[in-house]
Amino acid sequence: MSPDPVQSPVTVYTVAQRAGVSIATVSRVLQGSVPVTPDTRQKVLDAVEDLGYVNLRTGRAVGLKLETHALVMPSLGGTYFTDLAIGFESTADEFGQSVSVLSTDAVEDPASRVLDLATKVDGMVITTGTVGDDVIEQISPKVPLVLVARSQLEGCDAFTSENMEPMVELVRHVLGHGRTKLRFVGDHTRSRDVSRRYAGFLQAVSEAGLGDPHGPFPVWMNEESGRSVALDVLEQIGDIDALVCANDELALALMQSLAQHGVRCPDDVVITGWDDTMASRYIVPGLTTVAQPTRELGRAVSVRLHERIAQRSPAQPMVSLPSTIRVRQSCGCL
């Protein structure tokens, strides 16, 4: 027997469906933040009244349960995770939901901490670099889960941004500048996203008949690792004419460290990144990179988690948001 719709939680999604508008439009009407047409406004207000929807910010009406969402990330540092958290939290706040953020790097036993947190929230988002699949498999039958930048597991939604196809395009662009001694910088074994980027790298160099005889520099994606790997690059600079980095933080640290030793970019070595951080736009030479829609990813994940909780809907196939190449000077373009 299907559940009684009267007993189902009333959410912004319920209101949006009844009114025939988007959830963003419902939010704008309820908050009065952006003008909407009188007809649209009335449709939303009629749906609110019919459904007995509660606007959590004003406390009017009855019927809406406050949700608590957990966002589990490896760190609160770095542009990627910062932007992801901003997108996620701002969307949850828009709909009156509370968010508990856990950085697993800051705890001694991440698995136990995440398992404990799962008993206190209505739903969770778990990103790459946090806990193993075994922990997720324990949680997913009990709490709605959305995974970010990691492989999809049974019973979980999964979101990511495009990685392989943009990397293929980026590497082809570098090859077009006559570079033939390319090395990938980043540990492709610790992140699904980076593994996909490395796969794109391998596809492009293989298409060019070059292959990857030396393999990648398997370093983590932070400034310290970039400075450290610069020493290895200096020892092999005659055998390297392009460094394709897994993120901007690595690329920028490498660029600066190599410059301090007289290695010029792009004359001596081409350097590319990934993320399109603010620094990549203003450094000289400008960093050729790939822009991920990270805040949009955070917003989409927040919306999907709310859907899973409020509508008790099953997991859907993985969602991949488009990424875009940003060509600047570090690849050899003028």
Side-chain angles (χ1 to χ4, degrees), residues 29-91:
V29 170
L30 297 180
Q31 296 186 43
S33 56
V34 179
V36 297
T37 65
D39 181 58
T40 297
R41 182 175 184 275
Q42 192 58 52
K43 286 181 180 179
V44 172
L45 294 179
D46 288 345
V48 166
E49 182 176 357
D50 291 345
L51 295 168
Y53 173 77
V54 137
N55 180 358
L56 289 173
R57 297 188 180 281
T58 65
R60 289 195 290 269
V62 294
L64 182 63
K65 174 183 176 291
L66 173 65
E67 296 169 6
T68 300
H69 299 175
L71 175 59
V72 181
M73 303 186 296
S75 169
L76 300 180
T79 302
Y80 178 86
F81 291 111
T82 299
D83 283 350
L84 184 72
I86 289 172
F88 183 85
E89 289 190 291
S90 62
T91 303

Side-chain angles (χ1 to χ4, degrees), residues 164 168 171-172 197-208:
M164 186 169 176
V168 171
V171 174
R172 286 173 178 166
R197 290 170 205 170
Y198 184 53
F201 174 89
L202 289 177
Q203 177 178 323
V205 295
S206 296
E207 287 175 351

Side-chain angles (χ1 to χ4, degrees), residues 171-243:
V171 174
R172 286 173 178 166
H173 181 82
V174 171
L175 292 168
H177 283 286
R179 305 293 168 145
T180 59
K181 303 173 183 177
L182 286 68
R183 294 289 296 276
F184 185 86
V185 184
D187 189 348
H188 65 287
T189 66
R190 296 175 62 182
S191 163
R192 180 190 181 278
D193 278 6
V194 178
S195 71
R196 297 290 291 168
R197 290 170 205 170
Y198 184 53
F201 174 89
L202 289 177
Q203 177 178 323
V205 295
S206 296
E207 287 175 351
L210 299 176
D212 185 31
H214 302 290
F217 289 104
V219 296
W220 189 234
M221 300 185 294
N222 56 27
E223 181 181 358
E224 182 180 355
S225 297
R227 294 188 182 282
S228 175
V229 79
L231 300 177
D232 296 326
V233 172
L234 286 168
E235 293 178 356
Q236 305 173 46
I237 196 63
D239 296 321
I240 299 172
D241 61 12
L243 294 165

Side-chain angles (χ1 to χ4, degrees), residues 17 29 44 57 75 94 112 130 142 147 158 216 283 290 319 330:
Q17 186 176 28
V29 170
V44 172
R57 297 188 180 281
S75 169
E94 182 178 350
S112 295
T130 52
K142 306 170 185 176
L147 309 179
I283 194 171
V290 175
V319 175
S330 71

